[in-house]
Amino acid sequence: MAIDFTLSPEQRELQLHARKIAGEVLGGVREAVAGLATPEERFAATRPRYRDLVRAGLLRKQVPPPFGGTMTSLLDLALVAEELWAVDPDVPLSLFSTGLGLMPLLMFGTPEQQERLLPPFVGDEGEPLAALAFSEPGGSANFQSACPGTGIGTVARRDGDEWVISGEKQFLPHASGWDGEGADLYAVAARTDPDGPPQESLAVFLVPRPKQGLTVLGSMETVGHRAALVSRVRFDEVRVPAGNILGAPGDGIRILETAFSATAGLVGAFSVGVMRAAFQTVLDFARTERRGGAVPVIEHQNVGTLLADMKARLEACRYLTWKACDHFDKTGGRGTELSLATKVFASETAVQVVYDGMRAVGAEAYTTARPLAGLLLDALAYPLFDGGNVGVRRPQLQRLFAEPGYDQLAAAEGRAPGE
C-alpha cells in the first residue's frame, strides 16, 4: 500500500531532537516576559533562547544544503515547527520569520547573491535576523492591483549602479533588530515605476542593514505572541547595489506568492503545536480536577465530548499539513492548493480548539492560572497573518478554482497543476 504516514527513521530522529531542544530552551518564556512593559524589552529577553535555537542548527534547517544549510524538505521543517510551537510560539516565530525573510533569496536569488548574503545565516553562532518587508500602512492584500494609486507604495528608482528605495512598511517581524538598529537583511517589495502596474514594476530587493536611511518608527503591541517583535520602519533613500534586485521588475508578484505559498503549509504546523499545548492542558486538568464533584471531570460526558472533538481536529490538521508540505516539495512549489487550504483550515480550527478547551475548563481558563487564554490570543494571529485568510488566502484559492482546466483531484492524487 503506497499511502503510509509512518515517519522515516531520520524524520523520527529529527522530531525527537526538536522536541528535546524545545523542552530545554523554550520552557517558561511566557512567564519570563510577563512583567516586561514594552515589546522591545520582551523581545530582547528572548535573545539567549533564539541564540540557543541557532546553535542547535534550527536556522540552518531552513536553508537547503546547496546554500550551506541542512534543510531536507518542507515536511521535515513542519515536524520541527510543531514540536517548537507545542512548547512556546514566540521564539520559534522569530526564527521562522527569519526563514521567511530569506525565502526570496533562497528561491530566486542568483548564486552570486546567495554566496554574498547567506553566510551570516548558515552558521551556528549569533542571532541573525532577516525580515520580509511586504505589508504597508493601509493594507497590502491588493498588492496586485493595477489601478493607479493602489498596491505597493514603496518605490525603488534606479540611480546609476544603485537602486534607491523609499517607503514605509509595517507588520515586519523584528525589523528593528535586537538593538534597534535594524535586522541583518531585508527582502523589500517595491515598485520600480510608481505609475506602472505591478505586473511590470513590482520587484523584490535584497537590503542588508543600511548604514543610513532606515528609521525604526516603533513596534506594534499585539494581544498574542507577546515576546515576538512586530515593527514599523521607513526606508528613506536607502541605497543598494543594482545587483541586489531579485530577477527583474515585474517578477515581484511571482516571488512573493511563491514565498508565501511555502509558508502557508507551515502555519498549519504552528497551529497544530498550539492545539497540542491546549489539548494537553485540558487533558491534565480533566484527569486530575473534580471541581467539587465525586469523580474527575473527564468522566463527565460533556468534557469527554469536547476533548474528543479537540483531538480529532488536531489530528486532521496535522495530516493535512503533512500532505500539503509533501505535495509542495514533490511538485517543486507548483502545487500550492493544499498549502493554501491548510493555512485557512488549520489556523481557524486552532482558534476553535483552544476555545473548546477553555469551555471544558470553565471560568478559570479566563485567568492567568491556566495558559489557555494566552494560547487563544496566540492562535488568533494565524488566520490573520502570513496572508489573511479573508483578504489573501481564500482569494488565492478562488483564482485557482477559476483557472481554465482546474482539476480538483490533482492535489489529492499528488499531481502538479496541468499534469
Side-chain angles (χ1 to χ4, degrees), residues 80-103:
V80 171
E82 180 186 327
E83 296 304 322
L84 300 180
W85 256 261
V87 178
D88 167 70
D90 289 347
V91 187
L93 183 60
S94 298
L95 189 80
F96 276 69
S97 294
T98 287
L100 174 60
L102 295 177
M103 204 163 288

Side-chain angles (χ1 to χ4, degrees), residues 72-162:
T72 44
S73 68
L74 196 65
L75 174 55
D76 288 356
L77 206 52
L79 298 177
V80 171
E82 180 186 327
E83 296 304 322
L84 300 180
W85 256 261
V87 178
D88 167 70
D90 289 347
V91 187
L93 183 60
S94 298
L95 189 80
F96 276 69
S97 294
T98 287
L100 174 60
L102 295 177
M103 204 163 288
L105 172 60
L106 293 171
M107 302 180 83
F108 295 94
T110 65
E112 185 278 331
Q113 291 170 334
Q114 292 159 349
E115 183 177 350
R116 176 163 49 92
L117 297 171
L118 280 174
F121 300 94
V122 293
D124 288 339
E125 298 298 330
E127 316 90 31
L129 297 170
L132 179 57
F134 170 68
S135 298
E136 298 186 348
S140 302
N142 294 304
F143 74 99
Q144 297 189 42
S145 173
C147 297
T150 62
I152 296 292
T154 299
V155 174
R157 60 178 176 82
R158 185 69 180 262
D159 183 16
D161 293 332
E162 295 180 313

Side-chain angles (χ1 to χ4, degrees), residues 328-349:
F328 190 91
D329 285 329
K330 289 178 177 175
T331 61
R334 291 184 296 147
T336 61
E337 179 182 344
L338 290 179
S339 293
L340 298 173
T342 296
K343 201 280 182 180
V344 172
F345 180 73
S347 64
E348 295 178 3
T349 300

Side-chain angles (χ1 to χ4, degrees), residues 6-95:
T6 305
L7 299 180
S8 70
E10 293 79 13
Q11 288 173 323
R12 179 60 173 161
E13 182 180 358
L14 174 65
Q15 185 185 56
L16 293 176
H17 174 69
R19 189 173 300 169
K20 179 175 182 290
I21 295 299
E24 292 174 351
V25 174
L26 299 178
V29 172
R30 196 182 299 273
E31 294 77 13
V33 304
L36 301 177
T38 69
E40 290 82 4
E41 288 178 297
R42 295 192 293 270
F43 178 62
T46 69
R47 188 172 187 173
R49 299 173 191 257
Y50 185 96
R51 184 187 306 124
D52 286 341
L53 295 184
V54 172
R55 186 175 292 125
L58 297 188
L59 180 54
R60 281 196 300 125
K61 194 67 184 171
Q62 299 178 67
V63 179
F67 313 126
T70 61
M71 181 177 177
T72 44
S73 68
L74 196 65
L75 174 55
D76 288 356
L77 206 52
L79 298 177
V80 171
E82 180 186 327
E83 296 304 322
L84 300 180
W85 256 261
V87 178
D88 167 70
D90 289 347
V91 187
L93 183 60
S94 298
L95 189 80

